[in-house]
DNA sequence: CCGCATCCCCAATGATACTG
DNA sequence: CAGTATCATTGGGGATGCGG
């Protein structure tokens, strides 16, 4: 991906963007268009697939599935299939996912101030 | 934009995604593909336009200009033109931009652990 | 009910050429 | 030096239909 192309460039300085790499890692994990909405709704407890669809108006099946899969691969969300008929799938936040909470908090605070600042202009 | 469409939907619950709105505000401000690299290089002091181009291999003139403009509009970066010949333009981080530092720090820490975790799989 | 596969579109990004 | 203007590209995301 993108970072690989940076690494391939001889002008690239590893130390210079060590910060970038890791901060970006975090942005990748939570920066998806629907990921924060999903995580937000999973904070309180487990949710079913269609339940999430209703809670997040505007999200397509494809995107919901895709972003849930990425969150699962990152270990932030856990997927449980109940072998029933009709099928039932529940998603819930992992303990690891909850390590994001301080980040959410601080980004929320900054966002509030930033928004207020933009209004005041 | 996107949030407006959410608001227009009757199923939308204001409280539910208040968090999302503000966290997303932050992501918009720093989530651009080159923004963190730019901010990173401006931490130490002022940089000229072409200096930044060299420091950030892979960025096109268009993107560098565009992202710098957004950072400037958000009040994170300051642009100074020196009326000389040849022209000289310096970019530097504002005090407001430095309020992002705690966010960078915590995202950096999380990114390091997240990366290590992915390696270990 | 919970998806996956397919096609399609557009906005973000890139490449290239030109200018005060 | 520090950009602007224009055209080409591409991949993120939406719409639709099918399958276990």
């Amino acid at each position: 991906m993108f970072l690989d192309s940076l690494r391939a460039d001889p002008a690239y300085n590893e130390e210079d963007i060590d910060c970038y790499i890791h901060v970006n890692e975090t942005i990748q994990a939570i920066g998806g268009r629907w990921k924060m909405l999903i995580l937000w709704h999973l904070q309180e407890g487990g949710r079913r697939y269609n339940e999430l669809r209703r809670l997040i108006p505007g999200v397509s099946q494809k995107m919901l599935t895709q972003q849930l899969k990425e969150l699962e691969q990152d270990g932030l969300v856990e997927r449980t299939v109940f072998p029933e008929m009709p099928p039932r799938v529940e998603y819930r936040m992992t303990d690891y996912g909850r390590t994001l909470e301080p980040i959410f908090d601080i980004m929320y605070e900054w966002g509030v101030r930033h928004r207020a600042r933009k209004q005041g202009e």
Side-chain angles (χ1 to χ4, degrees), chain A:
Chain A
M1 59 162 292
F2 165 58
L3 285 175
D4 298 328
S5 63
L6 273 190
R7 284 218 157 78
D9 193 312
Y12 164 80
N13 180 343
E14 180 77 30
E15 288 177 23
D16 270 357
I17 64 173
D18 172 70
C19 168
Y20 176 78
I21 290 174
H22 293 289
V23 176
N24 219 36
E25 193 82 30
T26 307
I27 287 199
Q28 290 305 316
I30 64 176
R33 174 160 173 185
W34 307 99
K35 288 186 180 176
M36 271 168 343
L37 269 174
I38 295 170
L39 292 172
W40 176 254
H41 285 297
L42 292 180
Q43 273 186 331
E44 297 146 30
R47 299 283 192 187
R48 302 181 59 175
Y49 180 80
N50 275 344
E51 201 175 357
L52 285 172
R53 277 197 72 190
R54 276 193 307 278
L55 288 168
I56 307 174
V59 70
S60 66
Q61 291 184 324
K62 176 182 170 179
M63 280 302 102
L64 183 55
T65 303
Q66 181 180 305
Q67 305 254 308
L68 279 169
K69 196 172 291 177
E70 289 180 21
L71 289 171
E72 193 193 352
Q73 279 172 358
D74 282 339
L76 302 172
V77 160
E78 196 174 48
R79 182 175 184 266
T80 313
V81 182
F82 296 89
E84 304 169 357
M85 203 52 195
R88 183 168 137 237
V89 178
E90 194 179 87
Y91 294 91
R92 65 173 54 245
M93 194 176 254
T94 62
D95 289 342
Y96 182 55
R98 298 198 183 277
T99 63
L100 282 170
E101 274 174 13
I103 295 185
F104 276 158
D105 290 345
I106 196 169
M107 289 182 76
Y108 177 81
E109 292 302 331
W110 196 88
V112 169
R113 291 203 313 272
H114 187 59
R115 200 178 174 78
R117 186 188 160 96
K118 287 205 294 190
Q119 304 291 339
E121 278 175 1

